[in-house]
Amino acid sequence: MKQNIVHNILLGQQHVPKHHTAHAFAPSNIALCKYWGKRNESLRLPMNNSLSISLGEYGTHTSITVIDDKRDKIFFNRKEIGHHTAFSKRLINFLDLFRVEKNKPYFLIETAANLPVCAGFASSASGFAALTLALQKLFDWHLTKEKLSILARLGSGSAARSLWHGFVKWHAGHLNNGMDSYAEKIPLTWNQLCIGLLVIAAKKKKISSSHAMAHTILQSKRYTTWPQTAHQHCLVIEKAIKEKNMILLGQTAQQNSIDMHAVMHASDPPINYNTPQTNAAIHQILGLQKKKHAIYFTQDAGSNLILLFTQQDMPIVLHYFPQVKVILPFANKDASHVSGYFS
Ligand code: DP6
């Protein structure tokens, strides 16, 4: 089935690499309205629409080179990764989709992420997005980003949203063949918007998001209401972005994240990514909201938190969370203590 998608998308495109090597970067993204649950595991077709903000210069750089060897070679952050690891297997399965002859050509993949990996900051998203963009360059395909998002999705669902900077929405789609499940950029900017990365644990998470979502679909009594709830949240978040309404955006994104984790907590056995430090930080953020600060959080499948606020609340955020890494997804790079990106 995956091969059918690749075949459909690559009709009329180059099937052998045009270049020897290619490089691409893709940003990580944080879902403001989360993708949680698949209606088709193998094609990574989501149950619900989702909507994200990309993290500027935080993401993955990937180079792909054709090699005359008997197997792929994979380096992550300059370290060679063995073929038996889950990381390599997933990557090699993805590359297999694009080999012309059986097992050929083989590739050298050199990939580097500048965010804590597997800790809930969506590094697999930027990883598969960067690889897809690099493949497009290597083969000299002329595919739209929407089509590339369908290919990236086959590696990791959230990778579909990592091909753009700024706000991106991923349409869940209805078709069984997955051809209408693609992402697109929301062409709106918001210069004042800030994203704060609060690293609570930079360690690998215990349960992968793929595993956790499969488990909650089967084992959570609360899952049935999730797709409709998320659908509504996406609509409200898009409205909040259009109106640049921080309270509406923050409250809705935060509620979406709380609802996703509640679905996981309600499964048997429950899944809980929170550490005592996560709970303490959440408590502190809710306290700031009581004092009328428009500072909110969202949390992916990990113990870390992502803060959502505007520049006017930057001093408060830096005061309470001095370790936070602040990203301005739409601002100029010259702000001193923050990492900005001009889209
Ligand atoms: C909580 O995209 O990592 O970050 O498709 O199985 O690779 P797979 O899952 P993945 O799940 C991301 C889950 C999330 C929410 C989101 O990014 O929308």
Side-chain angles (χ1 to χ4, degrees):
M1 257 316 233
K2 273 189 186 179
Q3 275 302 357
N4 291 350
I5 293 188
V6 173
H7 178 80
N8 274 340
I9 291 200
L10 294 183
L11 272 180
Q13 304 287 330
Q14 293 278 353
H15 283 75
V16 286
K18 178 93 181 285
H19 304 285
H20 174 59
T21 189
H23 170 265
F25 168 79
S28 282
N29 75 78
I30 294 297
L32 301 170
C33 178
K34 315 282 187 202
Y35 143 55
W36 197 251
K38 300 179 180 73
R39 61 191 160 88
N40 180 317
E41 278 286 329
S42 142
L43 301 186
R44 287 193 156 77
L45 295 178
M47 289 285 205
N48 60 278
N49 296 343
S50 57
L51 194 158
S52 61
I53 178 76
S54 289
L55 297 187
E57 64 196 29
Y58 287 105
T60 303
H61 285 271
T62 296
S63 294
I64 178 164
T65 306
V66 177
I67 50 171
D68 186 15
D69 213 323
K70 293 194 176 62
R71 59 199 326 201
D72 296 314
K73 265 175 129 40
I74 298 168
F75 286 80
F76 179 69
N77 286 351
R78 294 170 186 269
K79 207 175 131 221
E80 185 158 10
I81 308 292
H83 282 84
H84 55 279
T85 58
F87 182 95
S88 291
K89 282 187 190 152
R90 195 165 168 186
L91 226 149
I92 291 168
N93 283 343
F94 185 73
L95 292 171
D96 282 344
L97 296 169
F98 306 102
R99 300 190 216 269
V100 224
E101 300 167 38
K102 191 164 164 36
N103 298 338
K104 277 209 164 163
Y106 284 110
F107 301 107
L108 163 67
I109 305 291
E110 292 162 291
T111 185
N114 54 10
L115 270 174
V117 181
C118 299
F121 286 148
S123 46
S124 69
S126 58
F128 280 102
L131 183 56
T132 307
L133 289 168
L135 283 164
Q136 155 118 311
K137 288 187 188 165
L138 189 85
F139 283 84
D140 199 30
W141 299 330
H142 292 88
L143 299 171
T144 61
K145 285 214 179 161
E146 286 74 14
K147 286 212 166 127
L148 287 175
S149 77
I150 296 181
L151 296 181
R153 191 196 79 214
L154 300 176
S156 179
S158 50
R161 299 186 311 244
S162 259
L163 297 166
W164 296 265
H165 286 284
F167 298 112
V168 179
K169 63 178 167 189
W170 173 15
H171 304 276
H174 300 287
L175 298 175
N176 288 337
N177 69 8
M179 294 302 285
D180 62 348
S181 182
Y182 65 93
E184 67 179 332
K185 187 178 172 79
I186 300 176
L188 295 169
T189 57
W190 188 344
N191 289 344
Q192 298 298 309
L193 185 68
C194 299
I195 308 294
L197 305 184
L198 204 55
V199 179
I200 284 163
K203 280 190 288 183
K204 191 173 177 344
K205 58 196 177 198
K206 278 183 274 169
I207 309 173
S208 71
S209 28
S210 314
H211 180 84
M213 55 175 99
H215 176 76
T216 44
I217 280 205
L218 291 174
Q219 304 296 345
S220 175
K221 290 186 270 320
R222 293 187 62 165
Y223 190 79
T224 46
T225 54
W226 165 260
Q228 186 52 26
T229 304
H231 179 78
Q232 279 307 322
H233 285 156
C234 280
L235 294 175
V236 177
I237 288 172
E238 201 166 344
K239 175 175 182 292
I241 292 169
K242 277 189 193 128
E243 294 170 358
K244 298 192 174 30
N245 181 338
M246 188 61 230
I247 296 176
L248 188 62
L249 174 79
Q251 284 180 344
T252 316
Q254 181 174 294
Q255 192 57 51
N256 180 263
S257 164
I258 290 171
D259 287 347
M260 180 185 79
H261 285 273
V263 167
M264 286 188 245
H265 295 169
S267 59
D268 181 22
I271 294 177
N272 185 354
Y273 286 106
N274 292 18
T275 64
Q277 290 85 342
T278 314
N279 293 333
I282 290 177
H283 187 72
Q284 215 169 4
I285 298 161
L286 296 178
L288 292 172
Q289 287 167 20
K290 279 209 178 113
K291 290 186 187 154
K292 304 280 175 238
H293 294 296
I295 301 167
Y296 302 89
F297 71 88
T298 180
Q299 179 185 3
D300 280 348
S303 60
N304 297 321
L305 297 178
I306 297 100
L307 306 185
L308 309 169
F309 54 98
T310 56
Q311 285 193 46
Q312 95 185 41
D313 278 311
M314 181 95 75
I316 304 283
V317 168
L318 292 175
H319 175 76
Y320 284 94
F321 304 101
Q323 75 279 34
V324 74
K325 275 188 197 308
V326 180
I327 296 168
L328 275 75
F330 301 101
N332 223 315
K333 270 192 175 179
D334 51 10
S336 57
H337 52 291
V338 297
S339 164
Y341 180 79
F342 188 71
S343 66

